[in-house]
Each structure stands twice: as C-alpha cells, then as structure tokens.
Amino acid sequence: MKRTAIFLILTMILVPSLAFGEIKTITHSVKQVFGGSQSPDDARAAGMARAKREALEMAGTYIRSTTVMKNAQVEKDEVLAIAAGILKTEIVAERNYTTGEAFGIEITMKVDVDTSILEANVRRVLTERSYLEQLKVANAREKELLKKVAILEEENRRIKGSPALRDEFKDSTQGLIALANLQRALFNKDSALRSYERSRSLYENGLYSRSDFEQSRAQYEFASKELQDARKAVERTGAY
C-alpha cells in the first residue's frame, strides 16, 4: 500500500499531465537549387538546415504563446534556440526536381509540438542557463553559415565551376552538418539526463528494477559521449 502511494506521488511529480494537451504538427518544405560549384550533397545539407530552421521558427509561435515565455524577456533568436532544445525535427519527404535548366531537391521537415508539456520544457531550458547558452551559440553560428551559403549561391549563379567556391561550399556544409549534430546531441543529452533522473528516483523508492535503472544510466552515458564527439567535430570544422 505504501509503495503504491509513493508510486502515485512520484508519477504526479515526474510525469507531465496530458489532460489538456494536444500535439500540433508543423510541416514545412524548402526547395534548394544546385549546380555549378555546389554539389548535390552540399545543396541537400543546406536545404536540410534551412527547412529545420524555418520549421522551428514556425513552432516558435507556440512557444512565444506560453505564459512563462510571456513573462520572460527573450529575443526572437533566443526563442529559436529554445525551440531547437525542446522540439525534435524529422525529415518526412525528399524529392529531386528540375526547373528550366536547373536541378534541385525539395525537403519537407516535420515538428511536433506537445502543448501539454510545452511550458514545463520552456521553463526548464530558461532555468538551465548553461544548456541555453550552448543552444544560443549553435543557433547563432548556424544563422551565420546559412547567410554565407546564400551569398555563395548568388555568386554560383554568376560564376560556374569555381574551385574556390566549391571549397567554400564544402566548408560551409561541413559546418552546418556538425552544428546540426551538435544540436541533436544537446537535445539527446538533455532528454537522457531527465530520463536518468526519473529512473533514479523510482529506483531509490523501490519502484524500478536495477536492470532498468542501469539501462537508463548507460543511455545517459552514451548521450554524454555523443555530445563530446559532436563538440569536437564542430571544433574541427571551425564552425565555432
């Protein structure tokens, strides 16, 4: 009886209420033309970064509507950084296309916003300043690289087959890929940490098996190692 009561209390504390929540799904597509000095792989990476960023900007509308966000003084880019830290993006469609003499790739990205836990997640990220600062740095650098890619694409339309442009596209693309991996690793590490803390509380109260607790800890340790590797990759590309 006592164990059941403890379980119910922990459930109320650790598991967000789903009573009044709903899932808002945002899908967004971008078309990325390529050719000349920009390879299909570089165009795909740039298109993925654009689609993800623009989808998260749309999701930011819901984040800004939360009570906790209204009470906080945050700028647009900070809202986007928070969105990247609490929402998972997913590619749901890709297709190649032609337009006139140009080739391109269309990428569709999906973001699910769970309104039942939105405010709690926003509050957590605003409170965890170290996590938020890392997200903000990655977001700012991604914005700079996307601007650079846009400039390179404009030059590519005027100058065909430039080795210098090809190298700059490649460097920018590698930076965008490394930053995307870093953002994902930050998200995974945060999720794994919260899961580990929940399982530890349940385990200490006799409501979780040792094997399940050890598995949760192993997942957290793996996510921590993944984040370390992602940071090193970003440093190698010079994206920071």
Side-chain angles (χ1 to χ4, degrees):
M1 185 70 178
K2 182 179 178 182
R3 179 170 295 186
T4 301
I6 293 173
F7 175 76
L8 291 173
I9 292 171
L10 285 169
T11 299
M12 288 187 290
I13 294 174
L14 299 172
V15 179
S17 172
L18 301 177
F20 304 104
E22 62 176 316
I23 303 294
K24 293 186 178 294
T25 299
I26 296 168
T27 55
H28 179 66
S29 299
V30 300
K31 289 185 175 181
Q32 186 78 24
V33 176
F34 62 85
S37 299
Q38 187 181 31
S39 71
D41 287 343
D42 290 343
R44 181 177 183 275
M48 287 174 57
R50 277 183 52 218
K52 181 198 69 178
R53 187 176 185 87
E54 291 172 13
L56 288 175
E57 285 177 347
M58 296 167 70
T61 301
Y62 298 110
I63 293 176
R64 283 193 296 270
S65 71
T66 64
T67 302
V68 63
M69 187 61 73
K70 288 178 179 177
N71 294 334
Q73 299 297 318
V74 294
E75 299 177 355
K76 180 180 178 181
D77 284 347
E78 191 168 28
V79 172
L80 183 57
I82 292 170
I86 65 176
L87 302 175
K88 186 176 182 179
T89 58
E90 178 187 1
I91 297 174
V92 293
E94 291 184 52
R95 73 175 185 89
N96 295 325
Y97 69 92
T98 59
T99 172
E101 297 180 355
F103 297 93
I105 181 170
E106 182 177 24
I107 297 172
T108 302
M109 192 76 66
K110 183 183 79 166
V111 181
D112 287 331
V113 182
D114 187 343
T115 60
S116 67
I117 58 175
L118 185 57
E119 284 214 14
N121 285 343
V122 170
R123 186 178 293 107
R124 175 179 50 78
V125 175
L126 286 173
T127 302
E128 297 175 10
R129 299 306 302 180
S130 174
Y131 180 43
L132 179 55
E133 289 304 317
Q134 292 177 77
L135 291 169
K136 286 167 64 177
V137 171
N139 173 63
R141 188 57 183 137
E142 181 184 64
K143 182 179 180 180
E144 292 173 4
L145 282 176
L146 283 171
K147 284 183 177 179
K148 180 179 180 181
V149 168
I151 292 171
L152 291 174
E153 288 170 349
E154 183 62 32
E155 292 182 22
N156 191 43
R157 282 188 278 272
R158 299 194 306 268
I159 307 172
K160 301 295 183 181
S162 166
L165 271 182
R166 189 177 302 113
D167 290 343
E168 288 198 68
F169 270 125
K170 180 61 65 178
D171 290 344
S172 298
T173 297
Q174 292 303 312
L176 286 171
I177 292 172
L179 285 169
N181 290 338
L182 175 62
Q183 288 172 318
R184 183 170 59 250
L186 284 167
F187 177 93
N188 290 341
K189 163 78 178 297
D190 180 63
S191 298
L193 174 60
R194 285 183 288 136
S195 177
Y196 171 58
E197 289 175 340
R198 284 194 297 269
S199 67
R200 182 173 60 188
S201 296
L202 292 169
Y203 173 67
E204 289 174 351
N205 284 278
L207 302 169
Y208 219 51
S209 69
R210 183 173 183 82
S211 62
D212 286 339
F213 169 62
E214 292 293 348
Q215 181 180 6
S216 177
R217 180 163 62 183
Q219 290 172 342
Y220 169 64
E221 291 173 349
F222 177 82
S224 299
K225 176 63 167 55
E226 182 184 53
L227 179 56
Q228 290 178 352
D229 293 341
R231 284 180 175 140
K232 291 177 181 177
V234 168
E235 291 174 0
R236 285 196 299 269
T237 65
Y240 265 15

